[in-house]
Amino acid sequence: MEDGACRHHLVWRAGPGWRMVSSAVLGGGLGERGWVLNAQVRPGYARMDPAQHLAELAAAEGLTGPGVGLMTAAQVDDATWAEDTDVTAVVTTGIGVPTWAAAAAPASASFAPSAPDAGPAAVALPGRRYVPGTINILAVVPAPVGDAGLVNLLATATEAKVQALLDAGYDCSGTPSDAVCIAVRTPAPGLTPDLFGGPRSTWGARLARAVHAAVLAGAELDRTRRASGPRPDHAVPGPACCLGDLLLGATEST
């Protein structure tokens, strides 16, 4: 519940044995992580402590230890997902503020774009509130990958996102504060992790196709949703507010 409305979120209880790299506001960076939370917040999110807010939501879900927390004002119930040879991508999409990464510099340093249907990573400009982003990507690779390869997988996922947006007819590279989380297995003793994560590497190619398919589906669904008007809030949780596993027993919606 937030601001008198029931707002859903997605949870992946990964457990031990996973390394993640992420641009998320909570648990971002690179290291061992045991869970991922993608929380829906209201449009015009105004809290100044998003990491603390996400930590509170994680605690309410019984999530302990290090994890990754993302935010979105897009409908997480409309999450899209795709698989390619054991790689899974789950995406929440709300393209309310499409933009190009290399946009012209604003006239004022205090300028901060508003995001009416926000998402995950932070836009933190001086004197302005935190603005959640809109396109959140979680991609899961069931194999150990070295640090450099893991960072490369994050770049590959971003490239695939841009390709999907262009294929969906959008004139943008994303929104001002998209976030990405890539999970790979922790290498077992004596096992050499894969070194590469670019789009022509084994795991990078699979991840790129999965992310592209999930973002493309999400972009098209978001366009349809906007054409039909905003979905009304509901104040009391109902049976539809607690879904089963979203994907392969890994992702839950609550």
Side-chain angles (χ1 to χ4, degrees):
M1 298 293 294
E2 182 199 2
D3 298 322
C6 178
R7 305 196 188 278
H8 300 172
H9 48 269
L10 303 179
V11 177
W12 178 37
R13 304 176 192 273
W18 291 94
R19 299 173 63 251
M20 303 185 192
V21 63
S22 179
S23 59
V25 67
L26 176 66
L30 191 156
E32 297 280 338
R33 304 287 188 269
W35 49 266
V36 179
L37 168 70
N38 188 2
Q40 182 178 334
V41 297
R42 69 177 181 84
Y45 181 82
R47 283 187 60 158
M48 300 296 290
D49 58 345
Q52 177 60 34
H53 187 189
L54 284 164
E56 293 167 0
L57 293 174
E61 281 292 331
L63 302 172
T64 59
V68 173
L70 311 99
M71 282 185 172
T72 182
Q75 295 285 340
V76 299
D77 292 348
D78 291 337
T80 52
W81 63 92
E83 295 178 277
D84 190 290
T85 321
D86 297 329
V87 174
T88 300
V90 181
V91 177
T92 53
T93 307
I95 312 174
V97 188
T99 189
W100 286 103
S108 170
S110 63
F111 170 81
S114 61
D117 54 20
V123 173
L125 296 182
R128 301 303 295 263
R129 63 179 174 81
Y130 167 84
V131 179
T134 51
I135 303 175
N136 287 349
I137 298 171
L138 167 63
V140 181
V141 174
V145 179
D147 285 358
L150 181 50
V151 173
N152 207 347
L153 285 172
L154 187 145
T156 297
T158 302
E159 292 177 22
K161 177 199 73 174
V162 175
Q163 182 181 346
L165 291 172
L166 295 177
D167 288 346
Y170 285 90
D171 185 22
C172 67
S173 58
T175 77
S177 51
D178 296 344
V180 184
C181 178
I182 309 296
V184 300
R185 298 299 298 187
T186 301
L191 182 63
T192 301
D194 203 311
L195 299 177
F196 306 108
R200 294 286 70 83
S201 68
T202 298
W203 292 110
R206 296 169 180 175
L207 176 142
R209 290 189 293 266
V211 169
H212 177 272
V215 173
L216 180 61
E220 293 172 344
L221 182 60
D222 184 65
R223 179 184 289 120
T224 300
R225 183 177 66 237
R226 291 177 187 280
S228 61
R231 188 175 301 171
D233 291 333
H234 56 283
V236 179
C241 294
C242 187
L243 305 180
D245 291 341
L246 177 65
L247 189 63
L248 297 179
T251 308
E252 302 170 4
S253 175
T254 57

